[in-house]
Amino acid sequence: MMKAFKKRGALTHFQILSEISKQDPHLKQKDLAEKLGITVQAVSENIKTLIELGYITSKDGRSPYKITQSGIEKVKKDAISLRKYSDSVLETMNHYKTIWPAIATENLKKEDIVGLFMEDGVLYAHKKEENATGVVLDDAEAGMDVALTNLTGIIDMSVGEVTVINVPTIKDGGSKSCDLTLIKNVYDNGTHSGDKIDKIAVAGTVSRAVVKKLGMPIDIEYAAPQATANAARKGLNILAICVGDMSKAFTRELENQKIKYNIIDGGK
Protein backbone atom coordinates (compact mmCIF):
# COMPACT_ATOMS: atom_id res chain seq x y z
CA MET A 1 0.00 0.00 0.00
CA MET A 2 1.08 3.63 -0.52
CA LYS A 3 3.35 5.07 2.15
CA ALA A 4 0.85 7.84 2.95
CA PHE A 5 -1.77 5.30 4.05
CA LYS A 6 0.40 2.86 6.00
CA LYS A 7 -0.55 4.28 9.39
CA ARG A 8 -3.69 2.91 10.94
CA GLY A 9 -6.68 5.16 10.25
CA ALA A 10 -4.80 7.24 7.64
CA LEU A 11 -7.22 6.33 4.86
CA THR A 12 -10.22 7.19 7.05
CA HIS A 13 -8.62 10.56 7.87
CA PHE A 14 -8.20 11.19 4.15
CA GLN A 15 -11.84 10.33 3.45
CA ILE A 16 -13.17 12.53 6.26
CA LEU A 17 -10.99 15.47 5.22
CA SER A 18 -12.12 15.02 1.61
CA GLU A 19 -15.79 15.16 2.61
CA ILE A 20 -15.28 18.19 4.88
CA SER A 21 -13.36 19.98 2.12
CA LYS A 22 -16.59 20.07 0.10
CA GLN A 23 -17.69 22.74 2.61
CA ASP A 24 -21.14 21.38 3.27
CA PRO A 25 -22.33 23.33 6.35
CA HIS A 26 -24.98 20.71 7.09
CA LEU A 27 -22.53 17.79 7.17
CA LYS A 28 -23.12 15.75 10.32
CA GLN A 29 -21.16 12.90 11.90
CA LYS A 30 -24.06 10.61 11.00
CA ASP A 31 -23.71 11.60 7.33
CA LEU A 32 -19.98 10.86 7.40
CA ALA A 33 -20.59 7.50 9.05
CA GLU A 34 -23.07 6.48 6.34
CA LYS A 35 -20.79 7.59 3.49
CA LEU A 36 -17.71 5.86 4.87
CA GLY A 37 -19.45 2.75 6.17
CA ILE A 38 -18.19 3.17 9.75
CA THR A 39 -19.85 3.91 13.08
CA VAL A 40 -20.70 7.38 14.34
CA GLN A 41 -18.39 6.73 17.28
CA ALA A 42 -15.51 6.01 14.90
CA VAL A 43 -16.24 9.26 13.03
CA SER A 44 -16.27 11.18 16.30
CA GLU A 45 -12.90 9.74 17.40
CA ASN A 46 -11.31 10.47 14.01
CA ILE A 47 -12.61 14.04 13.97
CA LYS A 48 -11.19 14.60 17.44
CA THR A 49 -7.79 13.41 16.18
CA LEU A 50 -7.98 15.62 13.06
CA ILE A 51 -8.80 18.65 15.22
CA GLU A 52 -5.81 17.86 17.47
CA LEU A 53 -3.59 17.59 14.38
CA GLY A 54 -4.81 20.99 13.20
CA TYR A 55 -6.37 19.71 9.97
CA ILE A 56 -9.93 20.86 10.76
CA THR A 57 -11.60 23.32 13.12
CA SER A 58 -14.89 22.99 14.96
CA LYS A 59 -16.82 24.48 17.82
CA ASP A 60 -17.02 21.96 20.62
CA GLY A 61 -16.23 19.12 18.18
CA ARG A 62 -19.54 19.54 16.40
CA SER A 63 -20.51 20.64 12.89
CA PRO A 64 -20.03 22.79 10.97
CA TYR A 65 -16.47 21.54 10.38
CA LYS A 66 -13.95 23.54 8.42
CA ILE A 67 -10.75 22.29 6.85
CA THR A 68 -7.62 24.28 7.59
CA GLN A 69 -4.86 25.20 5.15
CA SER A 70 -2.67 22.39 6.53
CA GLY A 71 -5.64 20.06 6.10
CA ILE A 72 -5.97 21.09 2.45
CA GLU A 73 -2.27 20.42 1.87
CA LYS A 74 -2.63 17.05 3.58
CA VAL A 75 -5.53 16.04 1.31
CA LYS A 76 -3.68 17.17 -1.82
CA LYS A 77 -0.55 15.23 -0.87
CA ASP A 78 -2.48 12.05 -0.07
CA ALA A 79 -4.64 12.37 -3.21
CA ILE A 80 -1.51 12.58 -5.38
CA SER A 81 -0.08 9.52 -3.61
CA LEU A 82 -3.35 7.63 -4.17
CA ARG A 83 -3.47 8.64 -7.85
CA LYS A 84 0.11 7.49 -8.45
CA TYR A 85 -0.63 4.17 -6.82
CA SER A 86 -3.82 3.71 -8.87
CA ASP A 87 -1.98 4.61 -12.09
CA SER A 88 0.74 2.03 -11.35
CA VAL A 89 -1.90 -0.65 -10.72
CA LEU A 90 -3.70 0.19 -13.97
CA GLU A 91 -0.43 0.11 -15.88
CA THR A 92 0.36 -3.31 -14.44
CA MET A 93 -3.10 -4.61 -15.38
CA ASN A 94 -2.79 -3.25 -18.92
CA HIS A 95 0.44 -5.19 -19.41
CA TYR A 96 -0.67 -8.28 -17.50
CA LYS A 97 -0.79 -11.48 -19.55
CA THR A 98 -2.39 -14.72 -18.55
CA ILE A 99 0.23 -17.41 -19.12
CA TRP A 100 -0.51 -21.06 -19.78
CA PRO A 101 2.02 -23.92 -20.00
CA ALA A 102 1.98 -26.59 -22.67
CA ILE A 103 4.41 -29.12 -24.16
CA ALA A 104 5.91 -28.16 -27.52
CA THR A 105 5.75 -31.00 -30.05
CA GLU A 106 8.26 -29.17 -32.26
CA ASN A 107 10.69 -26.26 -31.97
CA LEU A 108 8.72 -23.05 -31.46
CA LYS A 109 9.77 -19.41 -31.70
CA LYS A 110 8.63 -16.37 -29.76
CA GLU A 111 5.39 -14.89 -31.16
CA ASP A 112 4.55 -18.04 -33.15
CA ILE A 113 0.81 -18.63 -33.33
CA VAL A 114 0.27 -22.29 -32.43
CA GLY A 115 -2.55 -24.79 -32.37
CA LEU A 116 -3.40 -26.46 -29.06
CA PHE A 117 -4.64 -29.99 -28.44
CA MET A 118 -5.06 -32.31 -25.48
CA GLU A 119 -3.68 -35.84 -25.47
CA ASP A 120 -3.54 -38.24 -22.52
CA GLY A 121 -4.49 -35.35 -20.24
CA VAL A 122 -1.57 -33.15 -21.37
CA LEU A 123 -1.85 -29.87 -23.30
CA TYR A 124 0.36 -29.75 -26.42
CA ALA A 125 1.28 -26.95 -28.83
CA HIS A 126 2.35 -27.19 -32.45
CA LYS A 127 2.22 -25.15 -35.66
CA LYS A 128 -0.70 -27.09 -37.13
CA GLU A 129 -4.21 -25.65 -37.20
CA GLU A 130 -6.47 -26.52 -34.28
CA ASN A 131 -9.76 -25.19 -32.88
CA ALA A 132 -7.79 -23.51 -30.08
CA THR A 133 -4.74 -21.29 -30.58
CA GLY A 134 -2.19 -19.43 -28.48
CA VAL A 135 0.81 -17.14 -28.90
CA VAL A 136 4.29 -18.33 -27.86
CA LEU A 137 5.94 -16.04 -25.29
CA ASP A 138 9.48 -17.43 -25.59
CA ASP A 139 11.45 -19.88 -27.73
CA ALA A 140 10.96 -23.55 -26.80
CA GLU A 141 12.51 -26.81 -28.00
CA ALA A 142 10.49 -29.84 -29.02
CA GLY A 143 9.45 -31.88 -25.97
CA MET A 144 9.95 -28.98 -23.54
CA ASP A 145 7.47 -26.73 -21.77
CA VAL A 146 6.39 -23.60 -23.62
CA ALA A 147 4.72 -20.47 -22.21
CA LEU A 148 1.60 -19.35 -24.07
CA THR A 149 -0.67 -16.34 -23.93
CA ASN A 150 -3.75 -15.01 -25.76
CA LEU A 151 -5.49 -18.37 -25.76
CA THR A 152 -8.58 -18.39 -27.98
CA GLY A 153 -11.04 -21.00 -29.20
CA ILE A 154 -12.03 -24.30 -27.63
CA ILE A 155 -9.61 -27.13 -26.95
CA ASP A 156 -11.03 -30.35 -28.34
CA MET A 157 -11.37 -32.59 -25.32
CA SER A 158 -13.92 -35.21 -24.32
CA VAL A 159 -14.52 -36.18 -20.70
CA GLY A 160 -13.22 -39.64 -19.83
CA GLU A 161 -15.03 -42.54 -18.21
CA VAL A 162 -14.31 -44.23 -14.88
CA THR A 163 -14.69 -47.90 -14.07
CA VAL A 164 -14.80 -48.55 -10.33
CA ILE A 165 -14.02 -52.06 -9.11
CA ASN A 166 -14.93 -52.69 -5.49
CA VAL A 167 -12.74 -55.39 -3.86
CA PRO A 168 -13.23 -57.15 -0.49
CA THR A 169 -11.71 -55.78 2.70
CA ILE A 170 -8.98 -57.75 4.49
CA LYS A 171 -11.66 -58.77 6.98
CA ASP A 172 -13.58 -60.37 4.11
CA GLY A 173 -10.55 -62.16 2.70
CA GLY A 174 -8.71 -59.35 0.92
CA SER A 175 -6.93 -60.24 -2.33
CA LYS A 176 -7.64 -63.97 -1.79
CA SER A 177 -11.33 -63.26 -2.19
CA CYS A 178 -10.86 -61.14 -5.34
CA ASP A 179 -11.79 -62.29 -8.83
CA LEU A 180 -8.39 -61.55 -10.34
CA THR A 181 -9.40 -62.82 -13.80
CA LEU A 182 -12.35 -60.41 -13.87
CA ILE A 183 -10.19 -57.46 -12.82
CA LYS A 184 -7.54 -58.26 -15.45
CA ASN A 185 -10.19 -58.64 -18.16
CA VAL A 186 -11.72 -55.27 -17.29
CA TYR A 187 -8.29 -53.67 -17.60
CA ASP A 188 -7.53 -55.40 -20.90
CA ASN A 189 -10.96 -54.85 -22.46
CA GLY A 190 -11.36 -51.21 -21.45
CA THR A 191 -14.31 -49.14 -20.29
CA HIS A 192 -18.02 -49.91 -20.49
CA SER A 193 -17.98 -47.96 -23.78
CA GLY A 194 -15.11 -50.02 -25.13
CA ASP A 195 -12.35 -47.40 -24.83
CA LYS A 196 -8.92 -48.35 -23.52
CA ILE A 197 -7.96 -47.73 -19.89
CA ASP A 198 -5.45 -44.89 -19.63
CA LYS A 199 -4.65 -44.87 -15.91
CA ILE A 200 -5.17 -47.02 -12.82
CA ALA A 201 -6.12 -45.59 -9.45
CA VAL A 202 -5.96 -47.55 -6.21
CA ALA A 203 -7.39 -46.87 -2.77
CA GLY A 204 -6.52 -49.20 0.08
CA THR A 205 -3.83 -51.80 0.76
CA VAL A 206 -5.80 -54.71 -0.71
CA SER A 207 -6.25 -52.80 -3.98
CA ARG A 208 -2.54 -52.11 -4.14
CA ALA A 209 -1.73 -55.78 -3.57
CA VAL A 210 -4.18 -56.89 -6.28
CA VAL A 211 -2.78 -54.48 -8.88
CA LYS A 212 0.81 -55.48 -8.09
CA LYS A 213 -0.06 -59.18 -8.29
CA LEU A 214 -1.62 -58.67 -11.72
CA GLY A 215 1.44 -56.75 -12.92
CA MET A 216 -0.56 -53.63 -13.68
CA PRO A 217 0.81 -50.10 -13.14
CA ILE A 218 -0.31 -47.82 -10.32
CA ASP A 219 -0.79 -44.29 -11.66
CA ILE A 220 -2.96 -42.70 -8.97
CA GLU A 221 -2.66 -43.59 -5.29
CA TYR A 222 -3.04 -40.50 -3.10
CA ALA A 223 -6.27 -38.45 -2.92
CA ALA A 224 -7.45 -41.02 -5.45
CA PRO A 225 -11.14 -39.98 -5.76
CA GLN A 226 -10.27 -36.34 -6.51
CA ALA A 227 -7.31 -37.23 -8.74
CA THR A 228 -9.46 -39.73 -10.65
CA ALA A 229 -12.15 -37.13 -11.32
CA ASN A 230 -9.55 -34.57 -12.41
CA ALA A 231 -7.93 -37.04 -14.79
CA ALA A 232 -11.30 -38.00 -16.27
CA ARG A 233 -12.15 -34.35 -16.86
CA LYS A 234 -8.97 -34.14 -18.95
CA GLY A 235 -10.20 -36.94 -21.18
CA LEU A 236 -8.55 -39.95 -19.53
CA ASN A 237 -10.31 -43.25 -18.87
CA ILE A 238 -9.59 -44.49 -15.37
CA LEU A 239 -9.83 -47.89 -13.74
CA ALA A 240 -10.31 -47.24 -10.00
CA ILE A 241 -9.82 -50.22 -7.69
CA CYS A 242 -10.95 -49.56 -4.14
CA VAL A 243 -11.64 -51.46 -0.96
CA GLY A 244 -15.05 -51.75 0.66
CA ASP A 245 -16.79 -48.46 1.47
CA MET A 246 -14.00 -46.45 -0.19
CA SER A 247 -16.05 -46.74 -3.38
CA LYS A 248 -18.50 -44.21 -1.91
CA ALA A 249 -15.85 -41.48 -2.00
CA PHE A 250 -15.26 -42.21 -5.70
CA THR A 251 -18.92 -42.25 -6.69
CA ARG A 252 -19.64 -39.09 -4.72
CA GLU A 253 -16.78 -37.21 -6.39
CA LEU A 254 -17.65 -38.50 -9.85
CA GLU A 255 -21.31 -37.58 -9.47
CA ASN A 256 -20.38 -34.09 -8.28
CA GLN A 257 -18.14 -33.68 -11.34
CA LYS A 258 -20.83 -35.20 -13.61
CA ILE A 259 -18.46 -37.90 -14.88
CA LYS A 260 -19.77 -41.15 -16.33
CA TYR A 261 -18.82 -44.22 -14.27
CA ASN A 262 -19.56 -47.90 -13.91
CA ILE A 263 -19.23 -49.99 -10.72
CA ILE A 264 -18.18 -53.65 -10.74
CA ASP A 265 -18.00 -56.08 -7.83
CA GLY A 266 -14.46 -57.49 -7.82
CA GLY A 267 -15.13 -60.27 -5.32
CA LYS A 268 -15.45 -63.96 -6.13
Side-chain angles (χ1 to χ4, degrees):
M1 189 60 174
M2 308 78 68
K3 185 178 179 180
F5 296 104
K6 277 188 175 180
K7 291 183 179 179
R8 185 178 179 181
L11 184 57
T12 303
H13 287 175
F14 171 74
Q15 292 174 299
I16 291 175
L17 287 173
S18 298
E19 292 299 324
I20 292 175
S21 68
K22 296 175 183 178
Q23 298 181 339
D24 179 0
H26 304 293
L27 187 66
K28 307 290 185 183
Q29 290 188 9
K30 182 180 178 182
D31 301 324
L32 284 168
E34 290 177 354
K35 286 187 176 183
L36 304 185
I38 58 178
T39 65
V40 174
Q41 182 182 353
V43 170
S44 177
E45 292 172 354
N46 279 280
I47 283 179
K48 182 179 178 181
T49 300
L50 291 170
I51 291 173
E52 292 174 353
L53 292 171
Y55 293 142
I56 60 174
T57 60
S58 167
K59 290 184 178 179
D60 302 323
R62 300 178 181 276
S63 62
Y65 305 107
K66 290 185 179 180
I67 189 167
T68 64
Q69 188 58 41
S70 60
I72 292 172
E73 294 300 321
K74 172 68 173 171
V75 171
K76 284 183 179 179
K77 182 179 178 181
D78 289 350
I80 291 171
S81 176
L82 182 59
R83 184 173 62 187
K84 287 181 177 178
Y85 181 77
S86 299
D87 288 346
S88 69
V89 171
L90 288 173
E91 185 177 353
T92 300
M93 291 300 101
N94 288 336
H95 289 86
Y96 178 79
K97 292 183 178 180
T98 302
I99 300 174
W100 293 82
I103 299 297
T105 64
E106 57 188 302
N107 293 338
L108 299 175
K109 296 290 185 182
K110 182 178 180 180
E111 297 185 356
D112 277 349
I113 297 177
V114 294
L116 306 175
F117 67 95
M118 188 76 75
E119 186 174 282
D120 293 333
V122 179
L123 183 64
Y124 291 94
H126 59 186
K127 295 178 184 177
K128 296 179 182 178
E129 187 176 340
E130 300 284 354
N131 290 331
T133 62
V135 178
V136 176
L137 283 175
D138 203 0
D139 294 357
E141 296 179 358
M144 298 302 294
D145 53 314
V146 58
L148 305 169
T149 188
N150 295 341
L151 267 64
T152 58
I154 299 175
I155 298 172
D156 293 327
M157 181 179 66
S158 59
V159 177
E161 185 178 341
V162 178
T163 301
V164 179
I165 297 182
N166 193 221
V167 297
T169 65
I170 192 68
K171 196 175 182 180
D172 295 323
S175 61
K176 294 178 182 178
S177 297
C178 291
D179 189 336
L180 299 180
T181 302
L182 169 69
I183 296 171
K184 188 65 166 61
N185 285 339
V186 171
Y187 175 64
D188 292 338
N189 296 330
T191 68
H192 191 64
S193 302
D195 297 321
K196 73 177 183 68
I197 298 295
D198 296 302
K199 303 288 181 182
I200 294 180
V202 297
T205 303
V206 173
S207 297
R208 199 175 200 287
V210 167
V211 171
K212 284 293 186 181
K213 187 170 185 177
L214 291 172
M216 302 189 309
I218 294 177
D219 303 297
I220 300 171
E221 188 172 7
Y222 304 105
Q226 295 77 12
T228 294
N230 288 339
R233 287 192 66 81
K234 291 184 177 181
L236 298 178
N237 296 310
I238 312 298
L239 173 60
I241 303 175
C242 53
V243 180
D245 288 341
M246 291 183 182
S247 61
K248 293 179 181 178
F250 281 88
T251 57
R252 183 167 54 247
E253 189 69 27
L254 295 171
E255 287 173 0
N256 288 340
Q257 297 288 332
K258 295 180 173 57
I259 294 169
K260 188 193 300 184
Y261 68 90
N262 183 41
I263 297 182
I264 298 173
D265 182 0
K268 290 181 180 179

